[in-house]
Amino acid sequence: MSSAAPSRSATPPPVPSSPREAPTQVLSGPVSVCIDRPLLALDRPFTYDLPRELGAGIGSAVQVSFHGRATRAWVLGATEDVPERILGVRKLVSAVRYFDERSLTLYRAMSERYVAPLATVIGRAVPPRVASEELERRSPQSRASDRPAPGPSPVAGYREGRRLLDALRAGEGAFVVRPAPADEAGVAVACVGATLAAGRTAIVIVPDADPVPATAAAIVDAFGDDVALFLGGDKRARYRTWLEIVAGRYRVVVGTRPAVFAPLVDLGLLYVHREGHPQHRDERSPSYHVRDIARMRARIEGAVSVLGAFCPSLEATAREHVLVEPAGRPWAPVEVVRPGPEGRSPRLLRALRTATRAFMLEPLRGYGVARVCRSCGEPAACSACLGMLRLERGSIRCVVCEAPGRCASCGATDFGIARRGAERVEEWARGVATVPVSLIGRDDPPRAPLEGEIVVGGVDALKDVGAPGLDLVAILHADASLRRPGVDARERVLVTWFEAAAWARPDGRVIVQTEGPNDPAIQALVSGRPERFRRAEAPRRAEAGFAVGSPVFRVAGGAELERELAALAPRTLLASSVGGATICLVVLDEDRVPGFGAEMRRLAAAGIVTRVEAEPHL
Ligand SMILES: [Zn+2]
Ligand SMILES: [Zn+2]
């Protein structure tokens, strides 16, 4: 045991009281390492002898010999768990320390919660290395901003707003913020400002990189050189920015999902912008959701987590939190009307005639769908796959396989069309409106309607473009949206409706067309109070076997899998066989996850479990 690490043990070291304490502490002697092989069966530390002259320590990338092969590994810390025979670390891969003890605490918590190899978690948390970028590293410098502090905070007037600002000044805690539409960026700026004023650093995570969300742009405007934009960019640019963050160059990091791991010290705030957005979930293992990692990291580092959304998700509100929201109603009134033919209710037509700046949310694409073949009279279906045929931009194609539209019965290409979709809405709205009408398609850059313009668009058009303050927002085909399959499909629809409604100015109008005015989702939109929807939705999910907040796993493996999983007595267990493989859906109480994970690692080593996926799409 070396003098540099006199009192470490095999158990994980305690979280240091001050972050990045001795960040370049050099270890020598037996160290535990994480082999960079993302396999559950190998997901345990291995011990190697670390030569002092390598100058390595916690977070170093090194090369070791593993099963006879040169393999990359991460140094986790000194260990007293020393086997009889111990190999030496071969070499240091990089002088960069990729993580510290606090980050490692987070990675271990994620590895446990998502039943994912620690190597996989580290691989997501640190960017791919670009060696040549390490040659010209800038010297560490912490800049204090000489910009004026941002103006008065909108948060101060919110319910529980003072409590949030107090926590940002000194403490920690979990908050959910529902900003007024006009305050969305301002609330984020205020939270970051309060954090910086307290001498701490802040991370803001946004769902998209392109176009840059208005909230991200507002933070750059407010804090300038203090802000690292960790958004998009190529591998080299991202690695350079990350190295600068490590070097202490920035006090604020704004970025997409990976920014939640940004190596800032003295972290005071993790702010998740539009927390319900699907882009906040990583589709790859460990398939984490940013809102959960933000809360985990805030707890570990004694920071504040803020989940921001116009309509907070069930997941965000199922855990203990303080809700911060405007004292009054900052939303435009919402009118509910029956759709009328082709979604043209008389009330909407009247509103369109006088609107000078409006948005019409039409979730369906194209001009219509083929109903019947004009040659043989059979119902229309794709000749290649029997899929539905859609008329879009003048041509008919299969929505499933994209083949040109041919009748499955006779091969003809002439169909009777049922008109519905954004192109058709654009067409009839043109005949009604007194200002130009444009369509924003899936491939067009999202933007707010201009002054003197009506825009028709789908859910993809609803980005954070600032609060455009429209006269009118119309929500079409609400009922079809609510009928989409998926456990959380209804909630996702409601989130997008709130985002659409937020485009209207408070004295503007929102018209939603539905046959079901009493649906809890419609009622939530009308009242502006998402909790009405959540009260109806939570029991529905529990009844389906997927209670909100209960971890879900999809496990693949051999024939014995179902019996092994049943022995763990999960809340819900659904099994199916595909070919020779067994696939199981497992729902657990949260406190059972560590035991479940240990069992999965054992079964992986025994060859019974081949794959574990946390929080699969349902
Ligand atoms: Zn036909
Ligand atoms: Zn097809």
Side-chain angles (χ1 to χ4, degrees):
M1 185 64 49
S2 87
S3 59
S7 62
R8 300 291 164 83
S9 73
T11 52
V15 174
S17 55
S18 100
R20 302 245 158 196
E21 182 179 87
T24 52
Q25 186 184 32
V26 172
L27 296 179
S28 64
V31 292
S32 61
V33 306
C34 168
I35 301 290
D36 193 13
R37 296 270 305 277
L39 295 171
L40 215 43
L42 294 177
D43 189 29
R44 59 188 176 86
F46 292 84
T47 302
Y48 284 83
D49 189 45
L50 181 65
R52 163 164 285 279
E53 57 272 23
L54 293 186
I58 293 173
S60 289
V62 294
Q63 193 190 80
V64 299
S65 175
F66 186 70
H67 295 326
R69 294 240 289 274
T71 307
R72 192 167 73 152
W74 308 97
V75 176
L76 304 178
T79 182
E80 287 168 357
D81 181 13
V82 184
E84 252 171 52
R85 196 169 149 270
I86 174 170
L87 294 173
V89 170
R90 285 186 175 181
K91 65 176 191 184
L92 185 66
V93 171
S94 164
V96 174
R97 295 290 177 90
Y98 288 90
F99 51 82
D100 62 8
E101 287 186 15
R102 288 184 172 220
S103 307
L104 184 54
T105 305
L106 175 66
Y107 305 161
R108 283 183 165 132
M110 287 180 66
S111 169
E112 178 164 272
R113 165 61 186 82
Y114 296 101
V115 189
L118 183 61
T120 305
V121 176
I122 295 173
R124 294 283 173 257
V126 306
R129 180 169 181 246
V130 181
S132 55
E133 284 298 325
E134 292 172 14
L135 298 175
E136 37 182 324
R137 283 180 67 194
R138 302 175 190 201
S139 54
Q141 51 181 152
S142 209
R143 294 199 183 182
S145 177
D146 49 3
R147 285 167 178 260
S153 153
V155 181
Y158 278 30
R159 282 196 200 108
E160 301 285 12
R162 289 271 162 213
R163 195 160 157 196
L164 172 58
L165 292 172
D166 286 347
L168 291 169
R169 266 192 285 278
E172 47 195 294
F175 292 81
V176 171
V177 177
R178 284 190 70 205
D183 294 343
E184 190 180 27
V187 166
V189 168
C191 288
V192 171
T195 307
L196 296 188
R200 303 206 286 176
T201 61
I203 295 173
V204 178
I205 305 127
V206 296
D208 312 284
D210 186 25
V212 173
T215 298
I219 287 170
V220 174
D221 270 359
F223 307 107
D225 288 346
D226 274 338
V227 183
L229 258 188
F230 203 52
L231 278 175
D234 62 10
K235 193 173 149 187
R236 172 173 293 277
R238 289 181 69 82
Y239 192 62
R240 187 186 312 133
T241 304
W242 189 85
L243 288 174
E244 289 178 353
I245 298 168
V246 171
R249 164 79 181 71
Y250 301 105
R251 298 200 296 160
V252 183
V253 173
V254 178
T256 45
R257 227 165 35 225
V260 77
F261 302 108
L264 287 174
V265 295
D266 296 322
L267 187 64
L269 170 67
L270 286 131
Y271 191 103
V272 182
H273 172 56
R274 299 204 167 180
E275 58 83 24
H277 198 289
Q279 290 287 341
H280 280 315
R281 178 188 185 270
D282 197 331
E283 297 295 323
R284 307 159 303 173
S285 176
S287 49
Y288 64 87
H289 197 290
V290 156
R291 75 165 84 83
D292 300 324
I293 308 310
R295 282 184 168 168
M296 278 186 193
R297 186 170 176 190
R299 240 185 350 256
I300 290 168
E301 305 202 15
V304 171
S305 67
V306 175
L307 306 181
F310 296 129
C311 174
S313 64
L314 276 90
E315 282 73 17
T317 47
R319 293 172 188 283
E320 200 176 319
H321 68 279
V322 177
L323 179 66
V324 182
E325 58 181 356
R329 178 187 169 111
W331 298 83
V334 178
E335 304 160 50
V336 181
V337 297
R338 296 206 182 273
E342 276 193 63
R344 290 177 290 174
S345 66
R347 177 119 46 122
L348 175 58
L349 296 181
R350 277 198 304 276
L352 280 175
R353 267 179 215 120
T354 52
T356 59
R357 203 178 172 205
F359 178 69
M360 302 174 76
L361 175 64
E362 168 52 71
L364 305 172
R365 294 162 61 182
Y367 187 84
V369 291
R371 275 282 175 248
V372 65
C373 171
R374 286 215 170 107
S375 294
C376 71
E378 289 295 310
C382 170
S383 63
C385 77
L386 299 181
M388 189 172 81
L389 300 173
R390 177 166 54 208
L391 175 57
E392 187 170 16
R393 291 190 193 132
S395 68
I396 298 181
R397 292 195 169 270
C398 171
V399 299
V400 182
C401 73
E402 302 201 325
R406 283 189 182 286
C407 172
S409 301
C410 75
T413 57
D414 191 16
F415 298 94
I417 300 289
R419 296 191 294 187
R420 61 176 203 218
E423 288 178 25
R424 170 61 185 148
V425 172
E426 180 199 16
E427 183 181 71
W428 65 250
R430 275 205 177 126
V432 178
T434 50
V435 296
V437 178
S438 3
L439 174 68
I440 292 199
R442 194 166 278 223
D443 304 323
D444 302 322
R447 62 176 177 83
L450 306 172
E451 197 57 57
E453 183 191 36
I454 292 172
V455 164
V456 181
V459 169
D460 296 329
L462 286 172
K463 304 287 185 187
D464 172 14
V465 293
L470 308 181
D471 302 343
L472 170 68
V473 169
I475 296 170
L476 309 183
H477 270 113
D479 302 331
S481 302
L482 286 176
R483 281 195 298 268
R484 280 212 297 260
V487 168
D488 62 350
R490 285 168 55 81
E491 175 176 278
R492 291 231 296 277
V493 168
L494 185 60
V495 167
T496 60
W497 288 352
F498 267 92
E499 287 171 2
W503 278 14
R505 48 169 213 264
D507 61 346
R509 299 172 78 174
V510 177
I511 295 179
V512 53
Q513 298 194 138
T514 174
E515 300 282 2
N518 295 322
D519 188 292
I522 301 286
Q523 288 294 311
L525 185 67
V526 171
S527 65
R529 310 214 60 84
E531 53 273 31
R532 285 194 181 198
F533 170 77
R534 292 197 291 263
R535 273 200 302 272
E537 191 70 2
R540 201 183 68 84
R541 287 214 206 159
E543 211 166 282
F546 300 98
V548 176
S550 294
V552 184
F553 296 90
R554 180 183 282 132
V555 186
E560 313 93 316
L561 182 61
E562 186 180 356
R563 189 171 40 81
E564 295 279 0
L565 291 175
L568 300 174
R571 244 174 199 248
T572 304
L573 174 61
L574 304 170
S576 62
S577 285
V578 185
T582 305
I583 311 268
C584 294
L585 267 186
V586 186
V587 185
L588 301 165
D589 289 325
E590 197 161 23
D591 57 358
R592 303 285 301 279
V593 172
F596 170 79
E599 195 59 12
M600 291 307 100
R601 287 171 173 87
R602 186 184 70 76
L603 293 173
I608 294 170
V609 162
T610 52
R611 188 177 142 80
V612 178
E613 183 193 358
E615 306 303 309
H617 288 287
L618 299 168

